[in-house]
């Protein structure tokens, strides 16, 4: 069984920074894309950033230049460095991974979510 566990959320003032981390554990053969999504109250879940196993990266337009996604393939972790945070970044942030847990099973997994609140 594969699990994704996030950490690093919290309350920060506008203009501040936070770093989110996510670790995949369990029986893992291969980790393909890893991503961060977020969902604000009464809004649809949106893709924030995605990083491929080869290091290719894409960001939502709303976070370009402010957020940086990175991964450590040896540790099966993905991080999101968030700078110049704005109140509109307030949301529950979810880690997502496309993971092969056996030669015959490849699935998409989600973390439990971590709250990020940007407020003065």
């Amino acid at each position: 069984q594969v699990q994704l566990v996030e950490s690093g959320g919290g309350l920060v003032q506008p203009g501040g920074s936070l770093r989110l981390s996510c670790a995949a554990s369990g029986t893992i053969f291969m980790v393909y894309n890893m991503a961060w999504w977020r969902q604000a109250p009464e809004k649809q879940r949106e893709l924030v950033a995605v990083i491929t196993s080869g290091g290719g990266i894409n960001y939502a337009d709303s976070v370009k230049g402010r957020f940086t996604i990175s991964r450590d393939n040896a540790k099966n972790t993905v991080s999101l460095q968030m700078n110049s945070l704005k109140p509109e970044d307030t949301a529950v942030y979810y880690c997502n991974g496309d993971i092969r847990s056996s030669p015959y099973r490849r699935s998409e997994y989600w973390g439990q979510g971590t709250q990020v609140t940007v407020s003065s």
Side-chain angles (χ1 to χ4, degrees):
Q1 184 72 7
V2 174
Q3 286 188 320
L4 298 181
V5 178
E6 302 118 333
S7 60
L11 173 64
V12 64
Q13 292 186 341
S17 298
L18 279 176
R19 184 176 181 85
L20 306 182
S21 295
C22 172
S25 62
T27 303
I28 296 172
F29 275 57
M30 177 69 183
V31 180
Y32 301 95
N33 289 1
M34 297 195 81
W36 289 95
W37 293 69
R38 68 185 180 186
Q39 187 166 21
E42 299 182 0
K43 291 190 176 181
Q44 287 189 329
R45 190 172 295 190
E46 65 171 347
L47 179 63
V48 175
V50 59
I51 183 167
T52 70
S53 57
I57 292 172
N58 276 298
Y59 296 101
D61 287 344
S62 58
V63 307
K64 282 181 182 176
R66 301 188 297 122
F67 290 12
T68 302
I69 190 171
S70 61
R71 65 188 286 170
D72 184 329
N73 290 333
K75 296 181 179 179
N76 293 326
T77 60
V78 61
S79 298
L80 186 69
Q81 177 67 41
M82 305 185 293
N83 299 328
S84 303
L85 283 160
K86 305 175 181 180
E88 51 265 41
D89 295 317
T90 296
V92 178
Y93 284 70
Y94 296 91
C95 174
N96 168 259
D98 177 7
I99 298 172
R100 180 174 295 283
S101 58
S102 81
Y104 314 105
R105 182 177 179 86
R106 176 177 174 177
S107 298
E108 190 173 22
Y109 296 89
W110 292 88
Q112 80 283 1
T114 185
Q115 177 69 47
V116 171
T117 302
V118 184
S119 175
S120 54

